Amino acid sequence: MRTCRTEPTIKPTIFAHRGARLQFPENTMPAFRAACDLGADGIELDLQRTVDGKLVICHDENLGRLAGIDINIKDMTWRQLSELNAGYSFPGSPEVRFPSLEEFLSWFAWTSLTVNIEIKNSVFPYPLIESEILYAIDQYRLRDRVIVSSFNFDSVVEMKRLAPDLSCAFLFKRWPNRALSAALEYGLDGLHPHFLNMFVPGFVSRCRRHNIAVRLWTVNSPRVMRYAIRQGIDTLITDDPAQALKIRNESVKPSS
Ligand code: G3P
Ligand code: CA
C-alpha cells in the first residue's frame, strides 16, 4: 500500500541529464564520471539497441548530430558504432566512444549513485528491450538503484509487469493529470514531466498525496530550480548539476 506524505519533500535529488554534459560529450563515460565527481545524486541516460542486439547509450536515434554520420543506431552493429567518435559535436573533445549499458553498469555498480535509464523507444520500438535491460540490471543486482522511464507508456507498464520492485516512471510533455491517473491505474512509481507541468495548479501536490515521485526535466534556470524545490518535487534532472546542487543545498536546511 502506498503511504501518503504529509510533510514537504526535504531534500530533492539532483540527476545529471546525460551526465555532466556541459563539461564532456553527453551520454559518455567521461560525462558520467564527472557527474559523480561533482556530487550528483544520480545520472539520467538514454538507451537504444544496435541491430546485433547490444544495448547502447545514446540520445539520438540518428547519429547525424552526435557523430556526423547519417545512420540510425538500430541499423548499425555494435562494432560499427564503437568505431565512431561520440565527441564529434563537442568542441575540443578528444575522441570518445559511445558506451554500452554493460560498460556503464560495470562502473556504476561501484558508485552509490542512482541511474535513470530512459528507454528511447518512441520512434523505433525495440521489441523486448525491457527484459534485456532487466537482465543487465540483475547481472549487477542493481534494482534498488535504477529507475526506468520512457515516453512509451506501454513500455513502462511492461517493465513494471516484469519487475514490480523496480522503480518505473512515465515521461511526458503534456496532460499531467491524465498521466497521473494512468500512473495510478497501472501502479507506476513516478512521473517525469517536462518542468512546465509543475505550474499546472494542484498537479505536484496530487502526486505527493498519492506518493508518486515527481522528477522534472530539464531544469536549468536557477529560478525554476528554486521554485521546484519549494513545490516539494523529488528530483531535478538538469544539465547543470553543479548549480542545482548549490541551490538545493542553500534551499534545504540541514536536518537536525
Ligand atoms: O528523461 C528526461 C529527459 O531526458 C527527456 O528528454 O529528449 O532529453 O531525452 P530528452
Ligand atoms: Ca533522456
Side-chain angles (χ1 to χ4, degrees):
M1 196 180 85
R2 296 181 185 282
T3 52
C4 184
R5 290 175 298 185
T6 51
E7 291 300 314
T9 300
I10 293 176
K11 191 177 177 186
T13 50
I14 307 299
F15 286 8
H17 184 232
R18 310 181 199 170
R21 66 186 293 237
L22 297 183
Q23 281 84 45
F24 294 96
E26 66 182 51
N27 278 322
T28 62
M29 290 310 300
F32 299 143
R33 288 193 202 97
C36 184
D37 293 346
L38 283 170
D41 303 298
I43 284 168
E44 187 268 359
L45 58 79
D46 303 287
L47 200 76
Q48 300 187 58
R49 189 171 65 197
T50 61
V51 69
D52 53 348
K54 192 85 168 173
L55 297 178
V56 294
I57 300 174
C58 184
H59 179 270
D60 299 3
E61 289 82 6
N62 182 283
L63 290 171
R65 175 180 72 98
L66 289 167
I69 171 169
D70 179 16
I71 185 167
N72 292 328
I73 286 184
K74 72 169 180 63
D75 298 324
M76 307 181 76
T77 63
W78 166 237
R79 186 176 179 149
Q80 287 172 322
L81 182 66
S82 55
E83 283 166 2
L84 299 182
N85 177 15
Y88 163 85
S89 63
F90 195 93
S93 173
E95 285 221 2
V96 60
R97 308 271 72 94
F98 290 96
S100 64
L101 181 62
E102 200 181 321
E103 180 182 5
F104 173 82
L105 291 176
S106 68
W107 166 78
F108 171 80
W110 294 95
T111 72
S112 56
L113 295 166
T114 297
V115 64
N116 171 200
I117 298 175
E118 182 195 340
I119 316 176
K120 276 282 176 229
N121 56 352
S122 294
V123 177
F124 303 120
Y126 296 123
L128 304 181
I129 195 169
E130 299 84 4
S131 56
E132 295 169 8
I133 294 168
L134 188 60
Y135 180 80
I137 295 168
D138 284 348
Q139 291 292 297
Y140 291 90
R141 300 173 188 263
L142 288 169
R143 285 195 193 193
D144 57 339
R145 287 200 285 132
V146 176
I147 300 156
V148 173
S149 65
S150 176
F151 285 107
N152 179 331
F153 186 75
D154 292 344
S155 178
V156 181
V157 169
E158 172 61 5
M159 186 55 97
K160 192 69 191 166
R161 187 188 71 77
L162 290 172
D165 56 333
L166 187 68
S167 182
C168 297
F170 178 49
L171 257 167
F172 64 95
K173 291 184 181 157
R174 300 175 65 192
W175 313 118
N177 290 318
R178 197 184 290 177
L180 175 56
S181 300
L184 291 172
E185 183 177 348
Y186 287 88
L188 303 184
D189 308 278
L191 289 173
H192 292 193
H194 182 275
F195 74 87
L196 287 176
N197 289 281
M198 81 171 148
F199 298 107
V200 172
F203 167 64
V204 174
S205 58
R206 270 197 291 280
C207 290
R208 289 170 52 74
R209 265 204 307 282
H210 290 287
N211 208 31
I212 294 284
V214 179
R215 305 186 187 93
L216 294 179
W217 53 277
T218 303
V219 185
N220 294 332
S221 141
R223 281 183 66 190
V224 177
M225 288 177 187
R226 288 192 187 93
Y227 183 83
I229 290 168
R230 283 201 301 276
Q231 292 283 299
I233 54 86
D234 293 78
T235 301
L236 292 176
I237 302 175
T238 177
D239 292 325
D240 194 347
Q243 167 136 267
L245 286 162
K246 187 164 174 284
I247 289 172
R248 189 273 309 272
N249 294 341
E250 286 166 2
S251 312
V252 177
K253 294 192 186 85
S255 52
S256 51

